[in-house]
Amino acid sequence: MTRWLTADDFDDLLAGSQLGVFSAANTFPGSISTWVRELMQERGRLSLVGVEEAHTVFDEDADAVTVGGVGSLPANLEIPFRGDEPRIVVERMTRIYGRPFVAIAALNSAGPNALLAVAAACKLGLPLLDCDGQGRVLPLIDQTTYALGGLSPSPLVGVGPWGDLVTIESPRGRVETLTRAAVTAAGGWLFCALYPAPVRDLTRTGIANAISRCVEIGATLRGGSTGPRGQLARRLGGRLIGRGRVLQIEQHSDGGGRTHQPAQPIGILIEDSGPTKSWIRLEVRNEVVLATIDGRIIASTPDTICMLDPIRRRTVDLIDLQLGDVIDVLFLPADPAWHTPEGRKLAGPEAFGLPLGSLKPVL
């Protein structure tokens, strides 16, 4: 169904977008959040079109384009968006694609990209599709259900902090490599338009209700009636892995073979506060990709493993995490598309250099 997003939804959107994001959960608000809040206030209300009704809202041959930020969040904090990036990249993509776009889609609905999709829709005066390509944060632009469904991120148009405009047209397997090189050369980040496609294909391959679910999660996190421990995970179809105190945070060599992940691997050791005093270990590759209890696999990507501060009722991120912190570790199930053989190959543990073979999480 079509619903409307207004400035009144912003705080819920922001809180919900942080769930499951470990590398940039609470560090990205600031200039981005101020910018998007102001855009939503100026727009008044933004049409959020559900995947089931898109065919009744748009013509059969209508096209949409996906937007998202790629690169370093610290670089973006140092040199923030000017505000005209959505217009620049979508206008250039329109010339390349040869057809106008009637809607915006999100690369993912977690972290800054949830806000950037809203910003683009507001800035361009277009509806926003209620779907995304990840359902969580995955570090590579080709780790999407759009790609699983046969869509290509190419052509890709990106604009960087100094106004450089980058266009990449290449085979699907090369887009990520070329984009990362362009990000480095451009100054650390690119605001991108990518995955241009018919609306029917984006809604077919995207994860339904991603944006509206983000708002609902945020309302739950911010609400006083439902605490994040246990209740939140169960409401989302997941479970609480454990609560404990952080004893160790270490950067280590991968040991899992060559990967293309942009960040170095990190291990986190937590002593569970339950009666068994178990040891929870988390493996981080940009985001948390594996959780074990006393050496037994309890959860792994493509499912989401996230950490919540039980006192401040918000997601914990890597920059904030300190030895001695008490955190809740949650398991949240991924969209079924990620649990196909193709989905696990693209976003399962092996994609992050963790060759687990036939081992399966017990959840």
Side-chain angles (χ1 to χ4, degrees):
M1 59 177 292
T2 297
R3 61 166 292 180
W4 299 98
L5 289 180
T6 71
D8 290 339
D9 297 308
F10 178 81
D11 288 331
D12 291 339
L13 174 69
L14 177 62
S17 70
Q18 295 177 333
L19 186 68
V21 187
F22 184 57
S23 59
N26 300 296
T27 53
F28 78 79
S31 62
I32 296 177
S33 59
T34 299
W35 175 46
V36 179
R37 187 193 295 272
E38 290 175 351
L39 285 175
M40 293 181 75
Q41 290 171 339
E42 292 170 5
R43 177 72 182 266
R45 62 178 189 171
L46 171 65
S47 176
L48 185 63
V49 181
V51 298
E52 296 296 332
E53 64 167 347
H55 71 282
T56 66
V57 175
F58 304 110
D59 293 338
E60 175 66 21
D61 60 349
D63 296 289
V65 64
T66 301
V67 299
V70 180
S72 165
L73 184 68
N76 184 258
L77 294 173
E78 291 179 7
I79 311 175
F81 297 122
R82 296 181 302 275
D84 58 351
E85 288 85 359
R87 177 188 56 79
I88 290 172
V89 296
V90 173
E91 286 183 356
R92 175 60 64 91
M93 179 67 83
T94 301
R95 292 196 290 272
I96 295 170
Y97 195 69
R99 290 167 53 86
F101 298 109
V102 301
I104 297 295
L107 180 63
N108 60 50
S109 58
N113 279 336
L115 301 188
L116 297 186
V118 170
C122 288
K123 196 75 175 176
L124 295 162
L126 296 175
L128 180 63
L129 299 179
D130 194 4
C131 65
D132 81 342
Q134 295 183 337
R136 50 164 298 175
V137 169
L138 292 166
L140 307 183
I141 60 175
D142 53 7
Q143 286 179 308
T144 66
T145 57
Y146 302 142
L148 282 178
L151 304 184
S152 174
S154 174
L156 177 150
V157 176
V159 61
W162 306 112
D164 301 303
L165 196 59
V166 176
T167 301
I168 295 174
E169 297 182 70
S170 71
R172 194 169 87 184
R174 292 275 299 157
V175 179
E176 171 67 31
T177 300
L178 294 172
T179 302
R180 292 295 167 182
V183 165
T184 300
W189 59 261
L190 290 173
F191 187 107
C192 296
L194 65 170
Y195 287 103
V199 170
R200 63 178 181 273
D201 289 339
L202 284 170
T203 55
R204 170 182 59 84
T205 60
I207 297 173
N209 306 316
I211 304 296
S212 56
R213 183 172 181 264
C214 182
V215 175
E216 292 164 6
I217 288 171
T220 300
L221 278 171
R222 297 178 63 241
S225 59
T226 303
R229 179 184 170 102
Q231 293 97 324
L232 176 65
R234 287 192 293 271
R235 180 172 176 176
L236 300 176
R239 61 163 287 181
L240 180 71
I241 292 175
R243 170 178 289 182
R245 190 174 301 278
V246 177
L247 298 184
Q248 187 179 67
I249 306 170
E250 61 173 353
Q251 185 168 310
H252 55 77
S253 59
D254 197 340
R258 183 172 178 266
T259 74
H260 299 283
Q261 304 304 320
Q264 291 297 312
I266 291 172
I268 299 170
L269 185 65
I270 302 161
E271 182 182 24
D272 192 279
S273 59
T276 61
K277 297 297 181 183
S278 300
W279 299 99
I280 302 172
R281 183 171 181 84
L282 306 178
E283 289 295 333
V284 181
R285 306 295 189 274
N286 285 85
E287 308 303 323
V288 184
V289 298
L290 182 72
T292 63
I293 294 181
D294 294 337
R296 180 178 54 138
I297 298 173
I298 199 73
S300 72
T301 184
D303 294 317
T304 300
I305 304 160
C306 58
M307 292 183 284
L308 294 178
D309 182 323
I311 304 301
R312 291 181 287 178
R313 302 170 58 79
R314 64 173 176 80
T315 304
V316 175
D317 72 23
L318 184 57
I319 293 177
D320 282 348
L321 192 65
Q322 302 289 328
L323 296 179
D325 285 353
V326 174
I327 60 172
D328 285 340
V329 182
L330 273 62
F331 160 89
L332 303 174
D335 186 84
W338 286 122
H339 285 289
T340 62
E342 296 81 7
R344 290 193 63 82
K345 181 179 179 181
L346 187 61
E350 287 79 4
F352 293 87
L354 297 171
L356 305 183
S358 61
L359 294 176
K360 303 289 186 184
V362 299
L363 288 181

